Amino acid sequence: NFRRDMFTRGDDTPHLGYASYLQENDNSQHNNESFSGYSASLEGAEYLAASIFLGMLLGGTILGFLSDQIGRRPALLTGLLLNAIAGTLSSIPLMTPTVHELTIIRFFAGVGIGATVPPLFSLASEWSPKEVRGGIVTAVASFWMMGSLFVSVLAWCLFHGNESENIGVSRWRIFAAICAMPSALGVFMVYLYVP
């Protein structure tokens, strides 16, 4: 079926999370979460996925320009903190009882993700010695791919296997909370180590 195929094919993360949300919605009578009449169809999936990418576009554009005014470090901290907070909030049932609230919160997570890119690459370029600047920027860029691998492996571990197994909490909520942790760690690391 479509949802199982999404888990096993490794389609992008927003769709994976949404499919799990729908799966939980199918079983919502068993875990007492309210979905305000939202139907377990694919209607709305494009809004959830699009909200993250729209947020990334706006976050990168707006905070990219603002980083010239407020500084690279504050812009980077703002993006990381926004992503960590929104990612964590999206894992809390009270904050995302329906896909509509989830879409709004994931939009802000997208803003945080997009906001980190311009100041991060600018800092890497500005603070690197000229002789190794290309290698440093390449190393920074490679962490985007490492993050994608982390998310893919995490999704496989959480969603692969016995879907009917009850672990007491929605797997996609665990997924969202764990995915917010690197940004939270990044806030502390940037605060402590980035000039």
Side-chain angles (χ1 to χ4, degrees), residues 156-171:
W156 188 86
C157 290
L158 284 173
F159 298 113
H160 187 72
N162 187 358
E163 294 174 8
S164 64
E165 179 183 336
N166 185 357
I167 60 172
V169 66
S170 304
R171 291 170 199 248

Side-chain angles (χ1 to χ4, degrees), residues 13-22 38 41-45 48 99:
T13 304
H15 290 101
L16 188 69
Y18 182 72
S20 182
Y21 188 91
L22 290 177
Y38 186 76
S41 70
L42 293 178
E43 180 183 339
L48 180 59
V99 74

